[in-house]
């Protein structure tokens, strides 16, 4: 089936013409023209309230954007994803992270298998394991209780559990310590295990492929650390479990597959933390809270699947984001959560969005003629206000922002929460409307657009809904651009590149270097330093 590149569609052209009319209109005027805009341009679903009124849009913009979404068959593509069709065409795979959060009594048969049964069988095994660690019935090799749980993984096998552990720390068992090792830099390993007792430490080796250099290197160092301290290879059975799709490699590493938690090739790495990749999180917050989180994901999945486009939060956010990305030329999006627990949320979204929609060819292999995925960045407020917000207020770039806030705090301390929330609201107001002044350097022009996302409290359910909101926002945009949001060949390339240089750094004999002159010189410099360190006994 061939489809028209998006920039050639009449809907795209209509948006280009509309942009010419609207590009210089100020949010001040839009609000003055329709004073009830703040209530009208708002939508709610799955416990999430979205105020999108402070965007440079009119009713007509939305009409044209929804028409574009329909012309790109967004609803059909969405249904194909939920049904398990192989929409990840370059890897010939279904894309079914939504099946990870289906309730137990649901059924979804994909390629002849009821995946819901498999999902819940693994969730039950995870729950039994998590309970055993939390209650102390799972002990280490020497009989000591497990006190430290360390997830070893990278990218999609790290960012999700690490972000969610931080986000839901309020609900975690405080008698357990959690750590996350991802970087192949030995410092990450050394600093994470520093001061821990190997006899009380459990490693969860998380890798979809179980072939990733960083994770296997860290896993081997962890094994040496445990076996070295406890004096027996048998310790591995009590101190290592694996999360993977590849049982053979797990066995080859020396982990009994009885201690392996499975997931499936239809779960992309960056979409995998509601699967067994979230095992460390489940140990932290317990199976019940983990299931609540899955229910939050599912509520947003259902909202996305069933709400009309005009009231569909991920669709609205996706379309408005695309409006800035493709018509206003905005290069980045700032995600600014006003909650310290969401410290790593922007970093998590960075991977989700940039790895999914950072693509230059469409589903038919043609070069895309429009801008695809944005650069995503951000930090919790109010910290960012004292750092980079200056550029958003008075710089020369257009930076659409997503502000995320909570109506109730989990840590009522004095009037901190009122102050935090006042800052959030004030920033969206100042960005939109700006401030006039006599002196040019004091002027803030305003007209910087933002979404405000409000939820009641940061609960496991809320986090699930928020993550699913962004997952489907990314899907909406990828569908309109006509790209595959679910492969990552650039990451695969990165996994291969270092393989050639590793032996060149390590060889005893001076290797024949055949890179460019810059890379050759860097390698020689490193080798010389390595030789000096060895000679000095370091
Ligand atoms: C995610 C990416 C990537 C991946 C890591 C880890 O979508 O593909 O971040 O998650 O490279 O891969 P493994 O889980 O296979 O070790």
């Amino acid at each position: 089936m061939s489809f028209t590149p998006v920039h050639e569609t009449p809907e795209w052209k209509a948006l280009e013409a509309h942009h010419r009319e609207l590009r210089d209109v100020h949010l001040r005027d839009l609000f003055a023209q329709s004073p009830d805009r703040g209530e009208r341009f708002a939508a709610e679903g799955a416990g999430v309230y979205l105020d999108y009124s402070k965007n440079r849009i009119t009713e007509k913009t939305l009409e044209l954007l929804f028409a574009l979404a329909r012309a790109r068959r967004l609803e059909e593509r969405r249904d194909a994803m939920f049904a398990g069709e192989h929409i990840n065409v370059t890897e010939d795979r279904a894309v079914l992270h939504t099946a990870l959060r289906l309730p137990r009594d649901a059924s979804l048969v994909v390629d002849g298998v009821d995946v819901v049964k498999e999902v819940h069988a693994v969730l039950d095994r995870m729950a039994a394991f998590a309970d055993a660690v939390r209650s102390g019935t799972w002990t280490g090799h020497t009989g000591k209780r497990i006190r430290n749980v360390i997830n070893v993984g990278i990218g999609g096998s790290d960012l999700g559990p690490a972000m969610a552990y931080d986000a839901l720390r309020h609900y975690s068992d405080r008698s357990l310590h959690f750590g996350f090792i991802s970087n192949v830099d030995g410092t990450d390993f050394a600093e994470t295990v520093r001061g821990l007792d190997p006899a009380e430490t459990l490693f969860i080796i998380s890798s979809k492929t179980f072939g990733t250099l960083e994770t296997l290197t860290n896993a081997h160092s962890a094994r040496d650390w445990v076996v070295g301290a406890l004096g027996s290879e048998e310790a591995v059975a009590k101190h290592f479990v694996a999360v993977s799709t590849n049982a053979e490699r797990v066995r080859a590493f020396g982990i009994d597959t009885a201690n392996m938690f499975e997931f499936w090739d239809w779960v992309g790495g960056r979409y995998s933390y509601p699967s067994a990749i979230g095992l460390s999180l489940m140990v932290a917050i317990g199976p019940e809270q983990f299931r609540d989180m899955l229910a939050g994901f599912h509520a947003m999945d259902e909202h996305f699947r069933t709400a009309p486009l005009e009231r569909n939060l991920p669709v609205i956010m996706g379309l408005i984001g695309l409006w800035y990305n493709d018509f206003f030329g905005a290069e980045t999006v700032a995600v600014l959560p006003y909650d310290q627990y969401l410290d790593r949320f922007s970093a998590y979204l960075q991977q989700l969005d940039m790895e999914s929609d950072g693509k230059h060819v469409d589903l038919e292999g043609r070069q895309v003629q429009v801008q695809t995925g944005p650069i995503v960045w951000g930090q919790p407020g109010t910290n960012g206000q004292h750092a980079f917000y200056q550029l958003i207020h008075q710089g020369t770039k257009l930076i659409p922002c997503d502000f995320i806030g909570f109506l109730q705090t989990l840590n009522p301390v004095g009037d901190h929460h009122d102050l935090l929330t006042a800052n959030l609201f004030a920033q969206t107001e100042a960005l939109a409307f700006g401030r006039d002044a006599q002196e040019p350097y004091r002027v803030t022009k305003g007209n910087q657009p933002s979404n405000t996302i409000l939820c009641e409290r940061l609960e496991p359910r809320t986090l699930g809904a928020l993550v699913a909101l962004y997952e489907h926002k990314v899907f909406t945009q990828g569908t309109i651009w006509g790209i595959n949001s679910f492969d990552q060949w650039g990451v695969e390339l990165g996994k291969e590149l270092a393989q050639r240089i590793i032996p060149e750094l390590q060889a005893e004999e001076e290797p024949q270097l055949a890179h460019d002159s810059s890379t050759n010189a860097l390698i020689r410099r490193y080798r010389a330093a390595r030789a000096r360190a060895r000679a000095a006994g370091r």
Side-chain angles (χ1 to χ4, degrees), residues 263-286:
F263 65 116
W264 307 271
D265 71 1
W266 40 260
V267 184
R270 54 195 173 275
Y271 296 87
S272 67
Y273 102 80
S275 74
I277 289 289
L279 184 60
S280 52
L281 174 69
M282 191 194 269
V283 176
I285 63 174

Side-chain angles (χ1 to χ4, degrees), residues 124-180:
D124 290 343
R125 287 189 58 228
M126 289 165 64
F129 173 75
D131 282 338
V133 175
R134 287 163 65 86
S135 66
T137 44
W138 180 291
T139 53
H141 179 64
T142 65
K144 275 190 167 180
R145 197 176 170 152
I146 295 298
R147 300 273 171 210
N148 315 304
V149 178
I150 311 293
N151 185 73
V152 179
I154 195 163
S157 301
D158 165 69
L159 284 159
M163 175 281 288
Y165 170 67
D166 273 357
L168 301 178
R169 190 184 286 241
H170 180 78
Y171 304 89
S172 70
D173 180 340
R174 305 291 184 146
S175 68
L176 291 169
H177 166 80
F178 291 84
F180 297 85

Side-chain angles (χ1 to χ4, degrees), residues 227-272:
V227 171
L230 304 185
S232 165
E233 280 287 339
E234 279 171 29
V236 172
K238 297 301 257 174
H239 293 268
F240 286 83
V241 299
V243 179
S244 188
T245 58
N246 194 324
E248 222 165 276
R249 287 186 179 161
V250 168
R251 209 175 295 119
F253 177 84
I255 296 178
D256 187 341
T257 45
N259 294 334
M260 167 178 157
F261 299 85
E262 184 196 2
F263 65 116
W264 307 271
D265 71 1
W266 40 260
V267 184
R270 54 195 173 275
Y271 296 87
S272 67

Side-chain angles (χ1 to χ4, degrees), residues 471-485:
E471 287 176 349
H472 300 318
K473 182 223 90 152
V474 166
F475 175 83
T476 297
Q477 296 185 332
T479 299
I480 291 173
W481 291 317
I483 57 178
N484 182 358
S485 302

Side-chain angles (χ1 to χ4, degrees), residues 4 9 38 47 95 103 153 155 160 186-187 228 256 295 299 345 382 393 401 438 466 504 525 528:
T4 315
T9 61
V95 174
T187 298
D256 187 341
F345 194 62
T382 59
H393 282 292
C401 302
Q438 288 280 295
L466 281 174
E504 293 172 344
R525 195 172 177 85

Side-chain angles (χ1 to χ4, degrees), residues 120-430:
H120 282 272
V122 174
L123 279 172
D124 290 343
R125 287 189 58 228
M126 289 165 64
F129 173 75
D131 282 338
V133 175
R134 287 163 65 86
S135 66
T137 44
W138 180 291
T139 53
H141 179 64
T142 65
K144 275 190 167 180
R145 197 176 170 152
I146 295 298
R147 300 273 171 210
N148 315 304
V149 178
I150 311 293
N151 185 73
V152 179
I154 195 163
S157 301
D158 165 69
L159 284 159
M163 175 281 288
Y165 170 67
D166 273 357
L168 301 178
R169 190 184 286 241
H170 180 78
Y171 304 89
S172 70
D173 180 340
R174 305 291 184 146
S175 68
L176 291 169
H177 166 80
F178 291 84
F180 297 85
I181 301 177
S182 54
N183 200 336
V184 73
D185 182 345
T187 298
D188 202 6
F189 177 80
E191 288 293 344
T192 306
V193 301
R194 195 185 172 89
L196 303 185
D197 177 356
E200 298 182 338
T201 303
L202 175 84
F203 290 93
I204 301 177
I205 313 299
S206 300
S207 175
K208 182 172 169 182
T209 55
F210 230 76
T212 305
L213 170 89
E214 291 89 335
T215 301
L216 289 188
T217 306
N218 279 318
H220 278 106
S221 299
R223 190 168 66 185
D224 293 348
W225 184 73
V226 168
V227 171
L230 304 185
S232 165
E233 280 287 339
E234 279 171 29
V236 172
K238 297 301 257 174
H239 293 268
F240 286 83
V241 299
V243 179
S244 188
T245 58
N246 194 324
E248 222 165 276
R249 287 186 179 161
V250 168
R251 209 175 295 119
F253 177 84
I255 296 178
D256 187 341
T257 45
N259 294 334
M260 167 178 157
F261 299 85
E262 184 196 2
F263 65 116
W264 307 271
D265 71 1
W266 40 260
V267 184
R270 54 195 173 275
Y271 296 87
S272 67
Y273 102 80
S275 74
I277 289 289
L279 184 60
S280 52
L281 174 69
M282 191 194 269
V283 176
I285 63 174
E288 207 175 308
Q289 309 269 21
F290 193 88
R291 289 204 165 95
D292 275 356
M293 182 188 75
L294 296 181
F297 270 102
H298 180 62
M300 185 56 80
D301 293 342
E302 282 302 280
H303 170 81
F304 178 54
R305 199 173 64 78
T306 59
L309 300 191
E310 285 73 8
R311 292 206 302 276
N312 197 309
L313 305 188
V315 174
I316 296 170
M317 281 179 62
L319 291 173
I320 294 176
L322 185 136
W323 174 234
Y324 298 122
N325 188 72
D326 288 284
F327 298 93
F328 282 84
E331 296 265 306
T332 82
V333 176
V335 180
L336 309 165
Y338 277 59
D339 191 300
Q340 196 55 36
Y341 285 124
L342 292 183
D343 199 19
R344 302 204 58 189
F345 194 62
S346 313
Y348 173 79
L349 293 186
Q350 194 166 59
Q351 174 183 35
L352 176 68
D353 206 323
M354 293 173 73
E355 216 168 74
S356 296
D357 284 347
K359 305 290 160 65
H360 74 291
V361 292
D362 69 13
L363 288 165
E364 296 196 355
R366 294 172 300 211
Q367 177 74 37
V368 184
Q369 300 299 324
V370 298
Q371 284 290 322
T372 59
I375 299 162
V376 179
W377 59 285
Q379 262 185 43
T382 59
N383 294 3
Q385 289 176 206
H386 300 266
F388 55 80
Y389 281 36
Q390 163 63 30
L391 183 142
I392 312 180
H393 282 292
Q394 286 194 305
T396 52
K397 294 178 171 55
L398 178 71
I399 302 182
C401 302
D402 287 351
F403 286 85
I404 303 174
F406 297 90
L407 299 174
Q408 295 177 47
T409 177
L410 298 174
N411 293 299
V413 182
D415 62 355
H416 287 225
H417 196 62
D418 296 341
L419 306 187
L420 176 72
T421 309
N423 270 281
L424 187 169
F425 295 163
Q427 288 296 325
T428 70
E429 194 177 25

Side-chain angles (χ1 to χ4, degrees), residues 63-93:
E63 237 169 67
L64 294 173
L65 286 167
F66 290 125
L68 176 70
R70 291 204 164 89
R72 303 303 280 174
R73 300 189 295 115
L74 174 63
E75 289 147 301
E76 225 175 284
R77 298 281 303 165
R78 172 197 66 195
D79 295 347
M81 174 174 75
F82 276 88
E85 285 179 32
H86 286 211
I87 64 165
N88 176 357
V89 286
T90 62
E91 295 180 303
D92 190 18
R93 286 177 181 170

